Amino acid sequence: SVSLPLDEIMQQEIRPLLAVDIIEQLHRQFAILSGGRGKDGAPIITFPEYSGFGDLPDDDFLNVVTYLTSIPSLEAASIGFIIIIDRRQDKWSAVKASLMRIAGAFPGNLQLVLVLRPSRFIQRAIADIGIKLHRDDFKMKVPIIMLNSVSDLHGYIDKAQLTCELGGNLEYCHSQWIHHRTAIENFAVIVKSTTRMLQRFGTSLSETELPNEVQCTQDLLATQIAKHDKLKDELKLAMKQGMTLLSYIKDLATQNANCKLNPDELENVTTVERLLAQLDETENAFEEFWLKHHLKLEQCLQLHHFERDFREVKVALDSLMEILAAFSNIGDGVAQVEHLLRELKSLEERAQESQEKAQLYALHGDQLIQSNHYAVDSIRPKCVELRRICDDFTNGAKKKYDILGKSYEIHKRIDEVTQWCESGVYLLASQAVDKCQSQEGAEAALHDIEAFLETAQESVLGDLKDLHNQYEIILTPQVKAHVQKMLQRLEDVQEMFEKRQVSLKKLSAKQTRPVQPVAPRPESSPKRASPKTPRTSGSKVAKKKKIKKTKGGIKVRIGLGFFSSEIETEESLTNRRRHIINELIETERLYVEELQSIIEGYAAELDNTEFSHLIPAALQNKKEVLFGNLAEIYEFHNRTFLKELESCIECPELVGTCFLKRKEDLQVYEKYCQNKPRSEALWRQCGDSPFFQVTHHALPPSRLLSLDAYLLKPVQRITKYQLMLKEMLKCSKNSDGIAELEEALSTMLDIIKSVNDSMHQIAITGFEGTLSDLGKLLMQGSFNVWTDHKKGHNKVKDLARFKPMQRHLFLYNKMLLFCKRREETADGYEKTPSYSFKHSLKMSAVGITENVKGDSKKFEVWYNGREEVYIIQAATMDVKSLWVSEIRKVLTGQLEACRGKGGADTIQPA
């Protein structure tokens, strides 16, 4: 805290009275302190003639005398006061009363009492007698001297120390004296209050705890600077007042060359100078403390800025390090390695800005340390940490580049070996055996083989093994297995060439007997391998450019004169099924993780009060619109469906049963898809808001897509299942569970159709009824429609055959709706259809004619005994057949329902 010195006058703060407190009593002038001094420097208090002295209240007398005795310095007061009582115009009784009052209530130390006795003869005589008789009554321990005239007074007090009323030449103006006293005391009060304010402010500064946040520190700094500036202004004002007062007091002496300041006035000058010195000393002490405190606050703000920058850039760098650490894939081919290298380059470019910031912040931290910052122990480790992370990322990226470079080299060599082997196999397969039976043909074929084998030397195919041995430590088991497979294949192909060379060398020599030529077939049957030797077909072999591959790969058997390739084995089909089920489970896990990211990273944050100020008005209370029943879909997949699929990993044939078991649960997608247009419209309104930017950046780096892309995932997922089921069916012929797979595929296609139909249904406008009352939506689609009515529609009938109407039909169990399709564009986005309701037919009064003359794609729907006839033209025969079949099912169902109730049906399909 600030230690501020106190002036002597400030030590007298227990003094109860100031001039302003007794200003009225002082103006009565019944007692004055003129500034005169005795021979030994004793202060003189004069009681001038005052007719109402006897009537003064005791409190008024005591207050004035107490105040006057408090004015001289302690040194002067300790000598003792000299009291002069002027009663020349008064009576003995007034003298007696004055002495009695002074004796009973004078608060100071008395040295001498001088009384100017009444000048009238009788009163003087009475005074002489009275003083002798009553001296003991006054109980004064100091002499009481009765004087006859002022000339007698001059024998005791120098004329220069007496006012003109007492025959002296000491200048004294009572009103001016009061003005000086009030001004000095007012200045003393100002100095005291200013000093106290500085002390309190200094104490509050010393007790201030340093904030932990940038904004709080800035606010505190601004507040304290404002208070400091205000106090500084008050201090300057007080100093200006003191200087003005001092100048005013000193000017009294300068105005008159013969006038000198009396001791009291000199003490006034000393007091004001002392107060000014105190004020200046207080200001210096406070400013010294303030500079230290202000510097600490500034350093605190610098520290918080540095820590905030450190946290932000560290989060970014840690995120980049996590991405780099997760960059463990070395690729399974040249194209993928090139893609990984591009991704690594992109990651480096993204990291450049963060690394530059980190280096800049570390440099700033060094500057803070060099400037003797109080938090050096906190700043220095952070600077070291920033540089360490930058170095770790740079070194990590270099290591990744090195690994990927080696991987690229390996895979490039694998591709070269693969290409060479395929070319070799093709060469061997394309050599016509019949042409090799002659010596010339065999030698030509042998020459082709030797020329081809020389390319192996030029390509340095053997380096693949050396590279494998050299880079083995960085290779994944899959790549190692691939290399070993290719080395084995290379060895097999080379062995094939060796065997062919042996055969051809024998043929090129003199033959002892003819050999039956057999032409090789480079491709195998797509369905099964034939154990028999294929027939000669040299021209077909010559036309083939390459050997057809099966899922299980090319298996070539070398004999003296034939080759064959095998079909997929049951083992390869099993492997394919296992691969498909693994892919299904892995993508399901990823799908569940993505749903969880949407719910926790976006939906849950809408309820977070920290982000409430970022949420746009259009999104308030619209979480159900934006996300639909996504939480319900997530719960189903996370708690149920994923676990059931995982249980099929060892038994892929059970996957069909898994889908059939959850047929009803998968209907949740219909509700989600129905809400999708509303969700997309809301996203277009508020997708650019700061809320989504903040929440998107808070997601893991692997979640790079925007929210609208993730909200499309459920729609994509429900359509993906049927594709995987189709692939599973292809490799499950004659295996267990095929019936369930086929039924599961049919179920998923029905669900997708139901979802698609419901998406169209929600776009119907203008229908006054409730669509849910119409039963299940069975079919929907666009048609050309002509009308041919019996009553009141002659004009329409005439034009019917020429001008069709474009109508979108919705077939329900209870009604057939005719709507007009309209395209609507929303702010530049793709067009969304809507269906304006035009007409409806109750299915209970509908009939159907399957064939219409002149067009096989037309059929009729008629109403109330053909009062209204609608000729409907489908896009294809298949579409027509589906609709006619579905309408017949509805009508047949109604007929059976009526018969079951014992009723008669009047609706007869034509």
Side-chain angles (χ1 to χ4, degrees):
S1 63
V2 182
S3 177
L4 299 176
L6 296 176
D7 190 79
E8 179 181 310
I9 191 170
M10 302 306 300
Q11 295 174 354
Q12 299 176 4
E13 58 187 1
I14 60 171
R15 191 170 58 206
L17 292 176
L18 295 175
V20 69
D21 299 328
I22 56 172
I23 194 72
E24 183 180 347
Q25 292 91 322
L26 289 175
H27 276 297
R28 294 178 188 174
Q29 205 173 338
F30 61 80
I32 62 172
L33 185 68
S34 62
R37 291 288 189 270
K39 294 177 182 178
D40 56 359
I44 298 173
I45 295 178
T46 303
F47 288 88
E49 293 283 356
Y50 184 71
S51 59
F53 187 83
D55 300 328
L56 286 173
D58 291 340
D59 289 343
D60 290 356
F61 175 81
L62 182 60
N63 287 340
V64 170
V65 174
T66 301
Y67 176 70
L68 295 179
T69 55
S70 70
I71 293 174
S73 66
L74 294 176
E75 181 182 357
S78 65
I79 298 173
F81 287 90
I82 296 175
I83 293 179
I84 298 175
I85 303 174
D86 184 6
R87 293 292 180 265
R88 286 175 293 174
Q89 303 300 323
D90 216 329
K91 300 178 180 179
W92 159 247
S93 59
V95 174
K96 179 181 177 183
S98 298
L99 290 173
M100 291 296 289
R101 177 164 279 181
I102 291 168
F106 192 80
N109 181 25
L110 282 175
Q111 183 189 90
L112 178 65
V113 178
L114 299 173
V115 181
L116 284 171
R117 69 180 72 190
S119 57
R120 286 177 290 180
F121 178 79
I122 297 175
Q123 292 301 322
R124 180 179 296 181
I126 295 172
D128 290 340
I129 297 171
I131 193 66
K132 292 177 182 178
L133 294 175
H134 298 285
R135 184 180 295 275
D136 293 337
D137 295 340
F138 300 139
K139 297 180 181 179
M140 288 188 182
K141 297 179 181 180
V142 298
I144 301 174
I145 300 173
M146 303 295 289
L147 302 174
N148 293 324
S149 64
V150 293
S151 57
D152 295 341
L153 178 61
H154 297 162
Y156 292 92
I157 304 297
D158 189 348
K159 292 173 61 176
Q161 303 300 320
L162 295 174
T163 62
C164 58
E165 288 83 5
L166 297 176
N169 50 23
L170 177 66
E171 292 190 4
Y172 175 78
C173 176
H174 190 62
S175 61
Q176 187 182 66
W177 180 87
I178 292 175
H179 176 70
H180 283 188
R181 290 309 308 169
T182 53
I184 292 170
E185 289 169 0
N186 182 54
F187 178 58
V189 169
I190 290 173
V191 172
K192 181 169 64 175
S193 64
T194 303
T195 302
R196 285 179 174 174
M197 282 191 294
L198 291 176
Q199 287 177 327
R200 285 195 295 269
F201 185 50
T203 302
S204 70
L205 293 182
S206 63
E207 295 174 352
T208 299
E209 293 185 4
L210 296 178
N212 295 322
E213 297 178 357
V214 171
Q215 190 59 49
C216 294
T217 307
Q218 288 176 334
D219 294 343
L220 178 64
L221 189 59
T223 301
Q224 292 189 349
I225 287 176
K227 288 183 179 178
H228 168 266
D229 292 344
K230 183 179 178 181
L231 285 175
K232 189 79 173 177
D233 291 341
E234 292 182 2
L235 200 61
K236 289 180 179 178
L237 181 61
M239 189 69 75
K240 184 178 180 180
Q241 290 178 345
M243 294 301 294
T244 302
L245 177 61
L246 181 63
S247 175
Y248 178 73
I249 295 174
K250 288 183 175 180
D251 284 348
L252 294 177
T254 58
Q255 289 173 1
N256 187 351
N258 298 324
C259 178
K260 293 183 180 180
L261 297 178
N262 62 48
D264 282 352
E265 289 173 336
L266 290 174
E267 283 190 7
N268 286 344
V269 171
T270 302
T271 299
V272 174
E273 288 176 341
R274 195 175 300 166
L275 287 171
L276 287 170
Q278 174 191 336
L279 206 56
D280 184 63
E281 186 179 351
T282 301
E283 180 183 14
N284 292 335
F286 176 75
E287 277 303 308
E288 181 181 353
F289 174 79
W290 166 253
L291 290 175
K292 293 179 181 178
H293 178 78
H294 183 262
L295 175 62
K296 193 166 187 178
L297 272 182
E298 287 283 0
Q299 289 183 341
C300 177
L301 184 59
Q302 292 170 346
L303 176 64
H304 292 326
H305 275 298
F306 176 76
E307 289 177 339
R308 183 184 65 184
D309 294 339
F310 169 79
R311 287 193 298 270
E312 290 176 355
V313 78
K314 188 175 184 301
V315 167
L317 289 173
D318 287 345
S319 174
L320 291 165
M321 285 297 295
E322 288 177 6
I323 297 174
L324 187 64
F327 214 88
S328 57
N329 187 8
I330 65 170
D332 57 7
V334 171
Q336 188 177 6
V337 174
E338 289 175 342
H339 175 69
L340 290 172
L341 284 168
R342 288 193 296 271
E343 284 190 343
L344 184 58
K345 181 66 176 176
S346 175
L347 181 63
E348 267 195 324
E349 291 172 354
R350 285 168 50 198
Q352 185 175 358
E353 182 181 356
S354 295
Q355 285 183 298
E356 289 174 355
K357 284 184 179 179
Q359 295 292 352
L360 183 63
Y361 296 156
L363 182 62
H364 178 56
D366 292 340
Q367 292 172 348
L368 293 179
I369 293 171
Q370 292 172 5
S371 63
N372 297 321
H373 197 285
Y374 70 86
V376 170
D377 293 338
S378 173
I379 296 171
R380 184 176 284 114
K382 291 181 173 63
C383 295
V384 173
E385 177 72 1
L386 289 176
R387 292 190 172 99
R388 181 194 65 77
I389 297 177
C390 288
D391 292 342
D392 287 351
F393 182 86
T394 301
N395 295 333
K398 288 180 180 178
K399 186 177 180 181
K400 298 293 182 185
Y401 272 119
D402 181 60
I403 292 173
L404 288 175
K406 293 175 180 178
S407 175
Y408 179 81
E409 196 174 350
I410 285 278
H411 283 104
K412 189 174 181 182
R413 194 55 51 87
I414 288 174
D415 285 352
E416 291 175 355
V417 170
T418 301
Q419 185 177 0
W420 187 86
C421 289
E422 289 179 351
S423 300
V425 171
Y426 175 73
L427 174 63
L428 292 175
S430 63
Q431 287 180 339
V433 178
D434 54 347
K435 293 183 179 180
C436 295
Q437 301 305 308
S438 65
Q439 185 175 2
E440 293 80 6
E443 288 177 350
L446 194 59
H447 179 269
D448 291 341
I449 289 175
E450 290 173 350
F452 182 77
L453 289 176
E454 287 179 4
T455 62
Q457 299 299 324
E458 294 172 2
S459 302
V460 200
L461 298 180
D463 285 356
L464 179 59
K465 187 173 183 179
D466 295 337
L467 289 175
H468 171 262
N469 295 335
Q470 185 180 352
Y471 301 155
E472 184 177 7
I473 192 170
I474 69 162
L475 300 180
T476 62
Q478 293 82 359
V479 175
K480 289 179 183 178
H482 193 191
V483 172
Q484 292 296 338
K485 182 179 178 181
M486 293 314 302
L487 289 172
Q488 182 61 47
R489 187 178 183 190
L490 179 62
E491 185 178 336
D492 292 343
V493 173
Q494 288 172 338
E495 184 181 353
M496 290 163 58
F497 275 106
E498 290 173 2
K499 290 182 179 180
R500 178 62 65 87
Q501 282 178 310
V502 171
S503 300
L504 291 173
K505 285 176 181 179
K506 289 180 180 179
L507 291 171
S508 65
K510 184 178 179 181
Q511 299 181 10
T512 57
R513 60 186 180 84
V515 178
Q516 178 68 33
V518 179
R521 294 182 63 191
E523 73 274 9
S524 64
S525 169
K527 293 187 177 179
R528 60 188 178 86
S530 173
K532 300 179 181 179
T533 304
R535 295 176 295 178
T536 302
S537 181
S539 60
K540 291 183 180 179
V541 173
K543 291 180 182 177
K544 270 294 190 183
K545 295 295 182 182
K546 57 184 178 180
I547 298 174
K548 184 177 179 181
K549 299 178 184 177
T550 64
K551 292 287 184 180
I554 300 175
K555 297 185 180 179
V556 181
R557 292 187 293 164
I558 302 295
L560 281 176
F562 74 93
F563 306 88
S564 67
S565 58
E566 299 179 350
I567 64 168
E568 279 188 297
T569 64
E570 181 58 36
E571 181 182 356
S572 67
L573 292 173
T574 301
N575 289 336
R576 281 183 60 195
R577 286 196 298 272
R578 193 174 302 281
H579 174 75
I580 293 169
I581 192 66
N582 285 338
E583 182 183 357
L584 176 60
I585 292 170
E586 286 304 316
T587 54
E588 185 73 12
R589 288 171 181 159
L590 179 61
Y591 176 55
V592 169
E593 290 174 3
E594 288 173 335
L595 293 180
Q596 184 180 6
S597 295
I598 300 171
I599 292 170
E600 294 179 356
Y602 291 104
E605 298 298 347
L606 281 174
D607 301 324
N608 189 342
T609 54
E610 293 183 9
F611 296 136
S612 58
H613 64 289
L614 299 176
I615 300 174
L619 192 57
Q620 296 288 345
N621 302 318
K622 294 288 182 65
K623 184 165 76 171
E624 298 300 326
V625 175
L626 185 61
F627 296 98
N629 62 331
L630 193 72
E632 184 182 2
I633 294 175
Y634 168 70
E635 291 297 325
F636 163 63
H637 284 271
N638 184 47
R639 295 186 177 182
T640 306
F641 201 52
L642 175 59
K643 295 177 181 177
E644 292 181 357
L645 288 177
E646 288 173 336
S647 67
C648 300
I649 193 166
E650 298 298 330
C651 304
E653 63 272 8
L654 297 179
V655 72
T657 305
C658 183
F659 276 91
L660 291 174
K661 181 180 177 182
R662 295 301 168 187
K663 174 181 177 180
E664 297 301 324
D665 294 311
L666 288 166
Q667 298 292 336
V668 295
Y669 281 90
E670 184 171 334
K671 180 179 178 182
Y672 183 83
C673 292
Q674 287 178 349
N675 180 69
K676 196 69 177 68
R678 297 173 63 209
S679 173
E680 290 174 349
L682 182 58
W683 173 257
R684 287 195 292 269
Q685 274 187 276
C686 52
D688 294 332
S689 70
F691 170 77
F692 290 112
Q693 296 175 13
V694 171
T695 50
H696 177 69
H697 288 307
L699 291 176
S702 58
R703 301 287 183 259
L704 299 177
L705 300 178
S706 60
L707 176 59
D708 58 328
Y710 283 117
L711 290 176
L712 196 59
K713 293 288 183 180
V715 181
Q716 296 170 336
R717 188 62 182 171
I718 194 63
T719 57
K720 181 77 171 177
Y721 289 131
Q722 55 94 12
L723 297 175
M724 291 188 170
L725 290 172
K726 285 180 180 177
E727 289 298 314
M728 184 69 80
L729 269 173
K730 289 178 183 178
C731 54
S732 299
K733 303 299 182 184
N734 302 321
S735 64
D736 295 336
I738 189 169
E740 288 80 3
L741 272 175
E742 290 173 344
E743 188 178 352
L745 176 58
S746 177
T747 297
M748 292 309 300
L749 290 173
D750 287 343
I751 289 175
I752 293 172
K753 177 183 176 299
S754 177
V755 168
N756 186 49
D757 289 346
S758 67
M759 291 286 287
H760 287 275
Q761 176 183 252
I762 62 172
I764 296 175
T765 60
F767 182 70
E768 295 183 355
T770 304
L771 293 175
S772 59
D773 295 340
L774 306 184
K776 182 180 179 182
L777 175 61
L778 304 173
M779 303 283 284
Q780 56 83 25
S782 295
F783 298 89
N784 291 330
V785 178
W786 291 264
T787 58
D788 188 1
H789 302 333
K790 289 182 178 180
K791 297 180 180 180
H793 298 282
N794 294 330
K795 186 175 181 181
V796 175
K797 180 178 180 181
D798 293 338
L799 296 175
R801 69 191 62 172
F802 302 112
K803 191 174 181 181
M805 296 179 289
Q806 301 295 322
R807 291 290 183 262
H808 200 92
L809 274 57
F810 292 87
L811 176 62
Y812 293 88
N813 280 323
K814 297 181 181 180
M815 191 170 287
L816 178 63
L817 302 187
F818 291 78
C819 300
K820 185 174 182 179
R821 180 186 175 103
R822 301 182 187 279
E823 300 287 349
E824 297 178 358
T825 304
D827 298 332
Y829 289 79
E830 62 182 24
K831 294 182 178 180
T832 56
S834 66
Y835 303 100
S836 178
F837 171 74
K838 294 297 182 181
H839 191 57
S840 64
L841 303 177
K842 292 182 179 179
M843 293 304 295
S844 59
V846 161
I848 185 171
T849 302
E850 182 174 348
N851 297 313
V852 176
K853 292 181 181 180
D855 193 338
S856 60
K857 293 183 289 186
K858 289 182 180 179
F859 63 95
E860 283 185 349
V861 172
W862 38 270
Y863 194 63
N864 283 339
R866 299 188 69 87
E867 279 188 8
E868 299 178 21
V869 178
Y870 298 87
I871 302 169
I872 301 172
Q873 182 186 48
T876 65
M877 278 296 297
D878 291 339
V879 173
K880 170 192 169 179
S881 299
L882 286 173
W883 273 77
V884 169
S885 174
E886 199 65 39
I887 292 173
R888 285 192 177 280
K889 286 181 184 178
V890 174
L891 298 180
T892 303
Q894 290 178 353
L895 183 61
E896 290 176 354
C898 289
R899 285 174 179 170
K901 295 178 182 178
D905 186 25
T906 59
I907 310 299
Q908 295 295 330

